[in-house]
Amino acid sequence: MTAPTTPPGTPVPAAAASPLSVDLGGRTALVTGAAGGIGRACTLRLAAAGAKVRAVDRDAEGLAALAAHSEGLAGAVEPYLLDLTDLDAAEAAAAGTDILVNNAGLQLVRPIEDFPPDVFHTVLTVMLEAPFRLIRGALPHMYAQGWGRVVNISSVHGLRASAYKSAYVAAKHGLEGLSKTAALEGAPHGVTSVCVNPGYVRTPLVEKQIADQAAAHDLPEDRVLTEVLLKDSAIKRLVEPEEVAEAALYLCSPQASFITGTSLTLDGGWTAH
């Protein structure tokens, strides 16, 4: 299946004439779920700003392609093959990082009574417990130098619930609380922690939901985008991964130093209802 297309006649993002200028030279970043989607976009954007980026994913081929694509950028991309269910390894991987982007995620759309308990456990491990361990591993270095940025890629589902997504909604709501706690503890040490909350983003994760959503709502797949995914969005299009990456970069800028313990929502009006 190809990625969902934007419905005809809906607004599309304008090309950025002047991209945000942030100098991250000398900074080390870590991005999880880096091989595709939002993680890939964040990795490339931070590297373009001069950061050395540890690109964490369990997809070896995707990491190799990412590294090849990053050649010529101001910074560097270092592929880091890791399954985030290995929590001790995740914590160790975060040591020495100045910027941490917790992005990795997975999704399954099922009613609670049909939701496999092992999948529920895995979702919470990857999307909540691993971010805790990564933050835990990164903070000593951030505290020692008096500067650090934790960017948690949450979702509108960290602020609102949807039916059939019990594990994902639970994990994202937990991530919101973890981010706020990290912000309160990190503030005296120059460390900020913020959630970025996009609506539906044009990624493989969203693409894979189409069939499940069609079954859950008893709709043909070609109607899922407009009647389910974008139903509550005032702007009738998917968010682009590069838009999320630009928000993550902004949160690493000097201009964002007072933004912490909150959520930056990129949802096209989804939560305005």
Side-chain angles (χ1 to χ4, degrees), residues 3 8 19 37 62 66 87 102 105 120 124 158 160 182 190 208 218 239 242 245 270:
L66 172 66
L87 296 170
N102 283 313
F120 190 96
L124 264 70
R160 303 284 192 276
K208 290 174 183 176
D218 193 24
V239 187
E242 292 76 15
W270 200 92

Side-chain angles (χ1 to χ4, degrees), residues 6-62:
T6 300
T10 56
V12 295
S18 301
L20 183 66
S21 179
V22 179
D23 182 6
L24 296 180
R27 299 292 188 189
T28 297
L30 185 152
V31 179
T32 65
I38 295 171
R40 182 179 188 276
C42 286
T43 297
L44 293 172
R45 192 66 186 93
L46 293 173
K52 179 175 68 175
V53 186
R54 293 177 195 165
V56 172
D57 208 293
R58 62 181 182 178
D59 178 0
E61 290 185 6

